Structures are given as structure tokens and as C-alpha cells.
Amino acid sequence: MRDSSVARAGGSTLTFRWADGADSERDPDVRPMGVEQSNSSMVFGDELVLKSFRRLEPGINPELEVLRFLAEHGFGNIAPLAGWYEYEGRLV
């Protein structure tokens, strides 16, 4: 994610982005979140969570936009945004 990796398959593109100023350990332990939820999440070390949506659609993700807005405006009681992924292509 730090390197803005790009994965392409079947005419679709998945691009990983790292937020400016975000920091984390380089090789953390990775594990599934392990709780019942509608999406899948992976925990990296004790500091980061990657939330994977089961249904991807191209376009703006409202959850990401709200978190980005709150982080940019100094709201301290939210989880900091470390990165995200962007999807372009057909519905998955």
C-alpha cells in the first residue's frame, strides 16, 4: 500500500494508496479481525485495520470520504486514515 501498488485483471484495476504522514511498523503480524461483520477486515500489528468490502463498485466511497474529511479537519476522536484502495472496472 505504501508504494501505491496496482493490480490489474480482467479489465479492472485495484490501486492501493498510502495517506500522507501515515506511519506504521514495516512488517507487522497480520490476522483476521475475527468478529462477525458484513465485510472482511484484517488487522496489521495493533495499529491498522484493512476493511475489505464484499461488493465493490466504481466511484466515490462515502465512508472513505467522511473519514478523510474528519481527518483533514483535525477531529481527534476518530481512527486515523492510513490508506485506502481504489477500484476501477465492472461490478464485483
Side-chain angles (χ1 to χ4, degrees):
M1 193 173 277
R2 281 185 182 86
D3 300 327
S4 296
S5 299
V6 176
R8 292 184 177 88
S12 298
T13 303
L14 190 61
T15 305
F16 294 90
R17 307 282 186 200
W18 191 252
D20 291 336
D23 194 22
S24 173
E25 57 184 287
R26 285 288 176 176
D27 293 313
D29 291 329
V30 180
R31 63 180 168 76
M33 185 162 277
V35 295
E36 195 72 29
Q37 55 187 14
S38 61
N39 297 299
S40 299
S41 297
M42 300 298 293
V43 179
F44 294 79
D46 289 325
E47 13 179 291
L48 298 176
V49 173
L50 174 65
K51 182 176 183 180
S52 299
F53 295 91
R54 292 193 178 146
R55 181 178 170 101
L56 294 178
E57 298 181 22
I60 294 171
N61 178 315
E63 187 173 344
L64 172 60
E65 293 305 309
V66 168
L67 181 55
R68 189 180 293 165
F69 175 87
L70 293 174
E72 288 173 358
H73 289 85
F75 285 78
N77 294 324
I78 59 166
L81 178 63
W84 64 95
Y85 55 91
E86 299 170 356
Y87 174 77
E88 294 180 29
R90 63 178 178 80
L91 281 159
V92 177

Coordinates of all heavy atoms in Angstrom, one line a residue:
M1 N 0.8 -1.2 0.0 CA 0.0 0.0 0.0 C 0.9 1.3 0.0 O 0.6 2.2 -0.7 CB -0.9 0.0 1.2 CG -2.0 1.0 1.1 SD -3.3 0.9 2.4 CE -4.3 -0.4 1.8
R2 N 2.0 1.2 0.7 CA 2.9 2.4 0.8 C 3.4 2.8 -0.6 O 3.7 3.9 -0.8 CB 4.1 2.1 1.7 CG 3.8 2.2 3.2 CD 5.1 2.0 3.9 NE 4.8 2.1 5.3 CZ 4.4 1.1 6.1 NH1 4.3 -0.1 5.5 NH2 4.2 1.2 7.4
D3 N 3.6 1.8 -1.4 CA 4.2 2.0 -2.7 C 3.2 2.3 -3.8 O 3.5 2.3 -5.0 CB 5.0 0.8 -3.1 CG 6.1 0.6 -2.1 OD1 6.7 1.6 -1.6 OD2 6.5 -0.6 -1.9
S4 N 1.9 2.5 -3.5 CA 0.8 2.7 -4.5 C 0.8 1.6 -5.5 O 0.8 1.8 -6.7 CB 1.0 4.1 -5.1 OG 0.8 5.1 -4.2
S5 N 0.8 0.4 -5.0 CA 0.8 -0.8 -5.9 C -0.5 -0.8 -6.7 O -1.6 -0.4 -6.2 CB 0.8 -2.1 -5.0 OG 2.0 -2.1 -4.3
V6 N -0.4 -1.4 -7.9 CA -1.5 -1.5 -8.8 C -1.7 -3.0 -9.2 O -0.7 -3.6 -9.6 CB -1.3 -0.6 -10.0 CG1 -2.5 -0.8 -11.0 CG2 -1.2 0.8 -9.6
A7 N -2.9 -3.5 -9.1 CA -3.2 -4.9 -9.6 C -4.2 -4.7 -10.7 O -5.2 -4.1 -10.5 CB -3.7 -5.7 -8.5
R8 N -4.0 -5.4 -11.8 CA -4.9 -5.4 -13.0 C -5.3 -6.8 -13.3 O -4.5 -7.7 -13.4 CB -4.3 -4.7 -14.2 CG -4.0 -3.3 -14.0 CD -3.5 -2.6 -15.3 NE -3.3 -1.2 -15.1 CZ -2.2 -0.6 -14.6 NH1 -1.2 -1.4 -14.2 NH2 -2.1 0.7 -14.4
A9 N -6.6 -7.0 -13.6 CA -7.1 -8.3 -14.0 C -8.4 -8.1 -14.7 O -9.3 -7.4 -14.2 CB -7.2 -9.3 -12.8
G10 N -8.6 -8.8 -15.8 CA -9.9 -8.8 -16.5 C -10.5 -7.4 -16.8 O -11.7 -7.2 -16.7
G11 N -9.7 -6.5 -17.1 CA -10.2 -5.1 -17.4 C -10.4 -4.3 -16.2 O -10.9 -3.2 -16.3
S12 N -10.2 -4.8 -15.0 CA -10.4 -4.0 -13.7 C -9.0 -3.6 -13.1 O -8.0 -4.3 -13.4 CB -11.2 -4.8 -12.7 OG -12.5 -5.1 -13.3
T13 N -9.0 -2.6 -12.3 CA -7.8 -2.1 -11.7 C -8.0 -1.8 -10.2 O -9.0 -1.2 -9.9 CB -7.3 -0.8 -12.4 OG1 -7.1 -1.0 -13.7 CG2 -6.0 -0.3 -11.7
L14 N -7.1 -2.3 -9.4 CA -7.2 -2.1 -7.9 C -5.9 -1.3 -7.6 O -4.8 -1.9 -7.8 CB -7.3 -3.4 -7.2 CG -7.5 -3.3 -5.7 CD1 -8.9 -2.7 -5.4 CD2 -7.5 -4.7 -5.1
T15 N -6.0 -0.1 -7.1 CA -4.8 0.7 -6.7 C -4.8 1.0 -5.2 O -5.8 1.4 -4.7 CB -4.9 2.1 -7.5 OG1 -5.0 1.8 -8.9 CG2 -3.6 2.9 -7.2
F16 N -3.7 0.8 -4.6 CA -3.5 1.0 -3.2 C -2.9 2.3 -2.9 O -1.9 2.7 -3.6 CB -2.7 -0.2 -2.5 CG -3.4 -1.5 -2.6 CD1 -3.2 -2.3 -3.7 CD2 -4.3 -1.9 -1.6 CE1 -3.9 -3.5 -3.8 CE2 -4.9 -3.1 -1.7 CZ -4.7 -3.9 -2.8
R17 N -3.4 3.1 -2.0 CA -2.9 4.4 -1.7 C -2.5 4.5 -0.2 O -3.2 3.9 0.7 CB -4.0 5.5 -1.9 CG -4.5 5.4 -3.3 CD -3.6 6.1 -4.3 NE -4.3 6.1 -5.6 CZ -3.7 6.3 -6.7 NH1 -2.4 6.4 -6.7 NH2 -4.3 6.3 -7.8
W18 N -1.5 5.2 0.1 CA -1.0 5.5 1.5 C -1.2 6.9 1.8 O -0.8 7.8 1.0 CB 0.5 5.1 1.6 CG 1.0 5.0 3.0 CD1 1.8 5.9 3.6 CD2 0.7 4.1 4.0 NE1 2.1 5.6 4.9 CE2 1.4 4.4 5.1 CE3 -0.1 2.9 4.0 CZ2 1.4 3.7 6.3 CZ3 -0.1 2.2 5.2 CH2 0.6 2.6 6.3
A19 N -1.8 7.3 2.9 CA -2.1 8.6 3.3 C -0.8 9.4 3.6 O 0.1 8.8 4.2 CB -3.1 8.7 4.4
D20 N -0.8 10.7 3.2 CA 0.4 11.5 3.6 C 0.5 11.5 5.1 O -0.4 11.7 5.8 CB 0.2 12.9 3.1 CG 0.3 13.0 1.6 OD1 0.9 12.1 0.9 OD2 -0.3 13.9 1.0
G21 N 1.7 11.3 5.6 CA 2.0 11.4 7.0 C 1.7 10.1 7.8 O 2.0 10.1 9.0
A22 N 1.1 9.1 7.2 CA 0.7 7.9 7.9 C 2.0 7.1 8.1 O 2.9 7.1 7.3 CB -0.3 7.1 7.1
D23 N 2.0 6.5 9.3 CA 3.2 5.7 9.6 C 2.7 4.4 10.3 O 1.7 4.4 11.0 CB 4.2 6.5 10.5 CG 5.5 5.8 10.6 OD1 5.9 5.0 9.7 OD2 6.2 6.1 11.6
S24 N 3.5 3.4 10.2 CA 3.2 2.1 10.8 C 4.5 1.2 10.8 O 5.4 1.5 10.0 CB 2.1 1.4 10.0 OG 1.9 0.1 10.5
E25 N 4.5 0.2 11.6 CA 5.6 -0.7 11.5 C 5.7 -1.4 10.2 O 4.7 -1.6 9.5 CB 5.6 -1.7 12.7 CG 4.3 -2.6 12.7 CD 4.3 -3.5 13.9 OE1 5.0 -4.5 13.9 OE2 3.5 -3.2 14.8
R26 N 6.9 -1.7 9.7 CA 7.1 -2.2 8.3 C 6.6 -3.7 8.1 O 6.0 -4.0 7.1 CB 8.5 -2.1 7.9 CG 8.9 -0.8 7.6 CD 8.3 -0.4 6.3 NE 8.6 1.0 6.0 CZ 8.3 1.6 4.9 NH1 7.7 1.0 4.0 NH2 8.6 2.9 4.7
D27 N 6.8 -4.6 9.1 CA 6.4 -6.0 8.9 C 5.6 -6.5 10.1 O 6.0 -7.3 10.9 CB 7.6 -6.9 8.7 CG 8.4 -6.6 7.5 OD1 7.8 -6.5 6.4 OD2 9.6 -6.4 7.5
P28 N 4.4 -5.9 10.2 CA 3.5 -6.3 11.4 C 3.0 -7.7 11.2 O 2.9 -8.2 10.1 CB 2.4 -5.2 11.3 CG 2.3 -4.9 9.9 CD 3.7 -5.0 9.3
D29 N 2.5 -8.3 12.4 CA 1.8 -9.5 12.3 C 0.4 -9.2 11.7 O -0.2 -8.1 12.0 CB 1.6 -10.1 13.7 CG 2.9 -10.6 14.3 OD1 3.7 -11.0 13.6 OD2 3.0 -10.5 15.6
V30 N -0.1 -10.1 10.9 CA -1.4 -9.9 10.2 C -2.3 -11.0 10.6 O -1.9 -12.2 10.6 CB -1.2 -9.9 8.7 CG1 -2.5 -9.6 8.0 CG2 -0.2 -8.8 8.2
R31 N -3.6 -10.6 11.0 CA -4.6 -11.6 11.4 C -5.9 -11.1 11.0 O -6.2 -9.9 10.8 CB -4.5 -11.8 12.9 CG -4.8 -10.6 13.7 CD -4.7 -10.9 15.2 NE -4.7 -9.7 16.0 CZ -5.8 -8.9 16.2 NH1 -7.0 -9.3 15.8 NH2 -5.7 -7.8 16.9
P32 N -6.9 -12.0 10.8 CA -8.3 -11.6 10.5 C -8.8 -10.9 11.8 O -8.4 -11.3 12.9 CB -9.0 -12.9 10.2 CG -8.1 -14.0 10.6 CD -6.7 -13.4 10.7
M33 N -9.8 -10.0 11.6 CA -10.4 -9.4 12.8 C -11.1 -10.4 13.7 O -11.0 -10.2 14.9 CB -11.3 -8.2 12.4 CG -11.8 -7.4 13.6 SD -12.5 -5.9 13.1 CE -11.0 -4.9 13.0
G34 N -11.7 -11.3 13.1 CA -12.3 -12.4 13.9 C -13.6 -12.1 14.6 O -14.0 -12.7 15.6
V35 N -14.4 -11.1 14.1 CA -15.7 -10.8 14.7 C -16.7 -10.9 13.6 O -16.4 -10.7 12.4 CB -15.7 -9.5 15.4 CG1 -14.8 -9.4 16.6 CG2 -15.4 -8.3 14.5
E36 N -17.9 -11.1 13.9 CA -19.0 -11.2 12.9 C -19.3 -9.8 12.4 O -19.5 -8.8 13.1 CB -20.3 -11.7 13.6 CG -21.3 -12.1 12.7 CD -21.0 -13.5 12.0 OE1 -20.3 -14.3 12.5 OE2 -21.5 -13.6 10.9
Q37 N -19.2 -9.6 11.1 CA -19.4 -8.3 10.5 C -19.8 -8.6 9.0 O -19.6 -9.6 8.5 CB -18.2 -7.4 10.6 CG -17.0 -8.0 10.0 CD -15.8 -7.1 10.4 OE1 -15.9 -6.2 11.2 NE2 -14.7 -7.3 9.7
S38 N -20.3 -7.5 8.3 CA -20.8 -7.7 7.0 C -19.6 -7.6 6.0 O -19.8 -8.0 4.8 CB -21.8 -6.6 6.7 OG -21.2 -5.3 6.8
N39 N -18.5 -7.1 6.4 CA -17.3 -7.0 5.5 C -16.2 -7.8 6.1 O -16.2 -8.2 7.3 CB -16.9 -5.5 5.3 CG -18.0 -4.8 4.5 OD1 -18.3 -5.1 3.4 ND2 -18.5 -3.8 5.2
S40 N -15.1 -8.0 5.4 CA -13.9 -8.7 6.0 C -12.8 -7.7 6.3 O -12.6 -6.8 5.6 CB -13.4 -9.7 4.9 OG -14.3 -10.6 4.6
S41 N -12.2 -7.9 7.5 CA -11.2 -6.9 7.9 C -10.0 -7.7 8.4 O -10.1 -8.8 9.0 CB -11.7 -6.0 9.0 OG -12.7 -5.2 8.6
M42 N -8.8 -7.2 8.1 CA -7.5 -7.7 8.5 C -6.9 -6.7 9.4 O -6.9 -5.5 9.2 CB -6.6 -8.0 7.3 CG -7.1 -8.9 6.3 SD -7.4 -10.6 7.0 CE -5.8 -11.1 7.3
V43 N -6.2 -7.2 10.5 CA -5.6 -6.3 11.5 C -4.1 -6.5 11.3 O -3.5 -7.6 11.2 CB -5.9 -6.7 12.9 CG1 -5.2 -5.8 13.9 CG2 -7.4 -6.6 13.1
F44 N -3.4 -5.3 11.1 CA -1.9 -5.3 11.0 C -1.3 -4.8 12.2 O -1.5 -3.6 12.6 CB -1.6 -4.4 9.8 CG -2.0 -4.9 8.4 CD1 -3.4 -4.7 8.1 CD2 -1.2 -5.5 7.6 CE1 -3.8 -5.2 6.8 CE2 -1.6 -6.0 6.4 CZ -2.9 -5.9 6.0
G45 N -0.6 -5.7 12.9 CA 0.0 -5.3 14.2 C -1.1 -4.9 15.2 O -2.2 -5.6 15.2
D46 N -0.9 -3.9 16.0 CA -2.0 -3.4 16.8 C -2.5 -2.1 16.4 O -3.2 -1.4 17.2 CB -1.5 -3.4 18.3 CG -1.3 -4.8 18.9 OD1 -2.1 -5.7 18.5 OD2 -0.4 -5.0 19.6
E47 N -2.1 -1.6 15.2 CA -2.4 -0.2 14.8 C -3.3 0.0 13.6 O -3.9 1.0 13.5 CB -1.1 0.6 14.7 CG 0.1 -0.2 14.5 CD 1.3 0.7 14.3 OE1 1.5 1.2 13.3 OE2 2.1 0.7 15.3
L48 N -3.3 -1.0 12.7 CA -4.0 -0.7 11.4 C -5.1 -1.8 11.2 O -4.8 -3.0 11.5 CB -3.1 -0.7 10.3 CG -2.0 0.4 10.3 CD1 -1.1 0.3 9.1 CD2 -2.7 1.8 10.2
V49 N -6.2 -1.4 10.5 CA -7.2 -2.4 10.1 C -7.4 -2.1 8.6 O -7.6 -0.9 8.2 CB -8.5 -2.2 10.9 CG1 -9.6 -3.0 10.3 CG2 -8.3 -2.5 12.3
L50 N -7.4 -3.1 7.8 CA -7.8 -3.0 6.4 C -9.2 -3.6 6.2 O -9.4 -4.8 6.4 CB -6.8 -3.7 5.5 CG -7.2 -3.8 4.0 CD1 -7.2 -2.4 3.4 CD2 -6.3 -4.7 3.2
K51 N -10.1 -2.8 5.9 CA -11.5 -3.2 5.7 C -11.7 -3.5 4.2 O -11.5 -2.7 3.4 CB -12.5 -2.1 6.1 CG -13.9 -2.5 6.0 CD -14.8 -1.3 6.6 CE -16.2 -1.7 6.6 NZ -17.1 -0.6 7.1
S52 N -12.2 -4.7 3.9 CA -12.4 -5.2 2.6 C -13.9 -5.3 2.4 O -14.6 -6.0 3.1 CB -11.7 -6.5 2.3 OG -10.3 -6.4 2.4
F53 N -14.4 -4.6 1.4 CA -15.8 -4.7 1.1 C -16.1 -5.9 0.2 O -15.4 -6.2 -0.7 CB -16.3 -3.4 0.4 CG -16.1 -2.2 1.3 CD1 -15.0 -1.4 1.2 CD2 -17.1 -1.8 2.1 CE1 -14.8 -0.3 2.1 CE2 -17.0 -0.7 2.9 CZ -15.8 0.1 2.9
R54 N -17.2 -6.5 0.5 CA -17.6 -7.7 -0.3 C -18.1 -7.4 -1.7 O -18.1 -8.2 -2.6 CB -18.5 -8.6 0.5 CG -17.9 -9.1 1.7 CD -18.7 -10.2 2.4 NE -17.9 -10.7 3.5 CZ -18.4 -11.1 4.6 NH1 -19.7 -11.2 4.8 NH2 -17.6 -11.5 5.6
R55 N -18.7 -6.2 -1.8 CA -19.2 -5.8 -3.1 C -18.5 -4.5 -3.5 O -18.7 -3.5 -2.8 CB -20.7 -5.6 -3.0 CG -21.3 -5.2 -4.3 CD -22.9 -5.1 -4.2 NE -23.4 -4.5 -5.4 CZ -24.0 -5.1 -6.4 NH1 -24.1 -6.4 -6.3 NH2 -24.5 -4.5 -7.4
L56 N -17.8 -4.5 -4.5 CA -17.1 -3.4 -5.0 C -17.8 -2.7 -6.1 O -18.3 -3.4 -7.0 CB -15.6 -3.7 -5.5 CG -14.7 -4.2 -4.4 CD1 -13.4 -4.6 -5.0 CD2 -14.5 -3.2 -3.3
E57 N -17.9 -1.4 -6.1 CA -18.5 -0.6 -7.2 C -17.5 0.5 -7.5 O -17.0 1.1 -6.6 CB -19.8 -0.1 -6.8 CG -20.9 -1.1 -6.5 CD -22.2 -0.5 -6.1 OE1 -22.5 0.6 -6.4 OE2 -23.0 -1.2 -5.4
P58 N -17.4 0.9 -8.7 CA -16.6 2.0 -9.1 C -17.2 3.3 -8.5 O -18.4 3.4 -8.4 CB -16.5 2.0 -10.6 CG -17.4 0.9 -11.1 CD -17.9 0.2 -9.9
G59 N -16.4 4.3 -8.2 CA -16.9 5.6 -7.7 C -16.5 5.9 -6.3 O -15.6 5.2 -5.7
I60 N -17.0 7.0 -5.8 CA -16.7 7.5 -4.5 C -17.3 6.6 -3.4 O -18.4 6.3 -3.5 CB -17.2 9.0 -4.4 CG1 -16.4 9.8 -5.4 CG2 -17.0 9.5 -3.0 CD1 -17.0 11.2 -5.5
N61 N -16.5 6.3 -2.4 CA -16.9 5.6 -1.2 C -17.3 6.6 -0.1 O -16.4 7.3 0.4 CB -15.8 4.6 -0.8 CG -16.2 3.9 0.5 OD1 -16.8 4.4 1.4 ND2 -15.9 2.6 0.5
P62 N -18.5 6.7 0.3 CA -18.9 7.7 1.3 C -18.2 7.5 2.6 O -17.8 8.5 3.2 CB -20.4 7.5 1.4 CG -20.9 6.8 0.2 CD -19.7 6.0 -0.3
E63 N -18.0 6.3 3.0 CA -17.3 6.1 4.3 C -15.8 6.6 4.3 O -15.4 7.3 5.2 CB -17.2 4.6 4.6 CG -16.7 4.2 6.0 CD -16.8 2.8 6.3 OE1 -17.6 2.0 5.6 OE2 -16.2 2.3 7.2
L64 N -15.1 6.4 3.1 CA -13.8 6.9 3.0 C -13.8 8.5 3.0 O -13.0 9.1 3.6 CB -13.2 6.4 1.7 CG -11.8 7.0 1.3 CD1 -10.8 6.8 2.4 CD2 -11.4 6.5 0.0
E65 N -14.8 9.0 2.3 CA -14.8 10.5 2.1 C -15.1 11.2 3.5 O -14.5 12.2 3.8 CB -15.9 10.9 1.1 CG -15.5 10.5 -0.3 CD -14.1 11.0 -0.7 OE1 -13.8 12.2 -0.6 OE2 -13.3 10.2 -1.2
V66 N -16.0 10.6 4.3 CA -16.3 11.1 5.6 C -15.0 11.0 6.5 O -14.6 12.0 7.2 CB -17.5 10.4 6.3 CG1 -17.6 10.7 7.8 CG2 -18.8 10.7 5.6
L67 N -14.3 9.9 6.5 CA -13.1 9.7 7.3 C -12.0 10.7 6.8 O -11.4 11.3 7.7 CB -12.6 8.3 7.2 CG -11.4 7.9 8.1 CD1 -11.5 8.3 9.5 CD2 -11.0 6.5 7.9
R68 N -11.9 10.8 5.5 CA -10.9 11.8 5.0 C -11.2 13.2 5.4 O -10.3 13.9 5.9 CB -10.9 11.6 3.5 CG -9.7 12.4 2.8 CD -9.8 12.3 1.3 NE -9.5 10.9 1.0 CZ -9.7 10.4 -0.2 NH1 -10.2 11.1 -1.2 NH2 -9.4 9.1 -0.5
F69 N -12.5 13.6 5.4 CA -12.9 14.9 5.8 C -12.6 15.2 7.3 O -12.0 16.2 7.6 CB -14.4 15.2 5.5 CG -14.9 16.5 6.0 CD1 -14.8 17.6 5.2 CD2 -15.4 16.6 7.3 CE1 -15.3 18.8 5.7 CE2 -15.9 17.8 7.8 CZ -15.8 18.9 7.0
L70 N -13.0 14.2 8.1 CA -12.8 14.4 9.5 C -11.3 14.5 9.9 O -10.9 15.3 10.7 CB -13.4 13.2 10.3 CG -15.0 13.2 10.2 CD1 -15.5 12.0 10.9 CD2 -15.6 14.5 10.8
A71 N -10.5 13.6 9.2 CA -9.0 13.6 9.5 C -8.4 15.0 9.0 O -7.6 15.5 9.7 CB -8.4 12.5 8.8
E72 N -8.8 15.5 7.9 CA -8.3 16.7 7.4 C -8.7 17.9 8.2 O -8.0 18.9 8.2 CB -8.7 16.9 5.9 CG -8.0 16.0 4.9 CD -8.6 16.1 3.5 OE1 -9.6 16.9 3.3 OE2 -8.1 15.4 2.6
H73 N -9.7 17.8 9.0 CA -10.2 18.9 9.8 C -9.9 18.7 11.2 O -10.5 19.4 12.1 CB -11.7 19.1 9.5 CG -12.0 19.7 8.2 ND1 -12.1 18.9 7.0 CD2 -12.1 21.0 7.7 CE1 -12.3 19.7 6.0 NE2 -12.3 20.9 6.4
G74 N -9.0 17.8 11.6 CA -8.5 17.7 12.9 C -9.4 17.1 14.0 O -9.1 17.3 15.1
F75 N -10.3 16.3 13.5 CA -11.2 15.6 14.5 C -10.3 14.5 15.2 O -9.8 13.6 14.5 CB -12.4 14.9 13.9 CG -13.4 15.9 13.5 CD1 -13.3 16.8 12.4 CD2 -14.6 16.1 14.3 CE1 -14.3 17.7 12.1 CE2 -15.5 17.0 14.0 CZ -15.4 17.8 12.9
G76 N -10.1 14.6 16.5 CA -9.2 13.7 17.2 C -9.7 12.4 17.6 O -9.0 11.5 18.0
N77 N -11.0 12.2 17.7 CA -11.6 11.0 18.2 C -12.1 10.0 17.1 O -13.1 9.4 17.3 CB -12.8 11.4 19.1 CG -12.4 12.1 20.3 OD1 -11.3 11.9 20.9 ND2 -13.2 13.1 20.8
I78 N -11.3 10.0 16.1 CA -11.5 9.0 15.0 C -10.3 8.2 14.8 O -9.2 8.6 15.1 CB -12.0 9.7 13.7 CG1 -10.9 10.7 13.3 CG2 -13.3 10.4 13.9 CD1 -11.0 11.2 11.8
A79 N -10.4 7.0 14.2 CA -9.3 6.3 13.8 C -8.6 7.0 12.6 O -9.2 7.5 11.7 CB -9.7 4.9 13.3
P80 N -7.3 7.2 12.7 CA -6.6 7.9 11.6 C -6.6 7.1 10.3 O -6.5 5.9 10.3 CB -5.2 8.1 12.1 CG -5.0 7.0 13.2 CD -6.4 6.8 13.7
L81 N -6.7 7.8 9.2 CA -6.7 7.2 7.9 C -5.3 7.0 7.5 O -4.5 7.9 7.4 CB -7.4 8.2 6.9 CG -7.4 7.7 5.5 CD1 -8.2 6.4 5.3 CD2 -8.0 8.7 4.6
A82 N -4.9 5.7 7.3 CA -3.5 5.4 6.9 C -3.4 5.1 5.4 O -2.4 5.4 4.8 CB -3.0 4.2 7.7
G83 N -4.5 4.6 4.8 CA -4.5 4.4 3.4 C -5.8 3.8 2.9 O -6.8 3.6 3.7
W84 N -5.9 3.6 1.7 CA -7.2 3.0 1.1 C -6.9 2.4 -0.2 O -5.7 2.4 -0.7 CB -8.2 4.2 0.9 CG -7.8 5.2 -0.1 CD1 -8.1 5.3 -1.4 CD2 -7.0 6.4 0.2 NE1 -7.6 6.4 -2.0 CE2 -6.9 7.1 -1.0 CE3 -6.4 6.9 1.3 CZ2 -6.1 8.3 -1.1 CZ3 -5.7 8.0 1.2 CH2 -5.5 8.7 0.0
Y85 N -7.8 1.7 -0.8 CA -7.7 1.2 -2.2 C -8.8 1.7 -3.0 O -9.9 2.0 -2.6 CB -7.6 -0.3 -2.2 CG -8.8 -1.0 -1.5 CD1 -9.9 -1.4 -2.3 CD2 -8.7 -1.4 -0.2 CE1 -10.9 -2.1 -1.7 CE2 -9.8 -2.0 0.4 CZ -10.9 -2.4 -0.3 OH -11.9 -3.0 0.3
E86 N -8.5 1.9 -4.3 CA -9.4 2.4 -5.3 C -9.7 1.3 -6.3 O -8.7 0.7 -6.8 CB -8.9 3.6 -6.0 CG -8.6 4.8 -5.1 CD -7.8 5.9 -5.7 OE1 -7.4 5.8 -6.9 OE2 -7.6 6.9 -5.0
Y87 N -10.9 1.1 -6.7 CA -11.3 0.1 -7.7 C -11.9 0.8 -8.9 O -12.7 1.6 -8.8 CB -12.3 -0.9 -7.1 CG -12.8 -1.8 -8.1 CD1 -12.0 -2.9 -8.5 CD2 -14.1 -1.7 -8.6 CE1 -12.5 -3.8 -9.4 CE2 -14.6 -2.6 -9.6 CZ -13.8 -3.7 -9.9 OH -14.2 -4.6 -10.8
E88 N -11.4 0.4 -10.1 CA -12.0 0.8 -11.4 C -12.3 -0.4 -12.2 O -11.4 -1.3 -12.4 CB -11.0 1.7 -12.1 CG -10.7 3.0 -11.4 CD -9.7 3.9 -12.2 OE1 -9.7 3.7 -13.4 OE2 -9.0 4.6 -11.6
G89 N -13.5 -0.5 -12.7 CA -13.9 -1.7 -13.5 C -15.3 -2.0 -13.3 O -16.1 -1.2 -12.8
R90 N -15.6 -3.2 -13.7 CA -17.0 -3.7 -13.6 C -17.4 -4.0 -12.2 O -16.5 -4.1 -11.3 CB -17.3 -4.9 -14.5 CG -16.5 -6.1 -14.1 CD -16.7 -7.3 -15.0 NE -15.9 -8.4 -14.6 CZ -16.2 -9.2 -13.6 NH1 -17.2 -9.0 -12.9 NH2 -15.4 -10.2 -13.3
L91 N -18.7 -4.1 -11.9 CA -19.1 -4.5 -10.6 C -18.6 -5.9 -10.2 O -18.5 -6.8 -11.1 CB -20.6 -4.6 -10.5 CG -21.4 -3.3 -10.4 CD1 -22.8 -3.4 -10.8 CD2 -21.3 -2.8 -8.9
V92 N -18.1 -6.0 -9.0 CA -17.6 -7.3 -8.5 C -18.5 -7.8 -7.4 O -18.9 -7.1 -6.5 CB -16.1 -7.1 -8.0 CG1 -15.6 -8.4 -7.4 CG2 -15.3 -6.6 -9.1

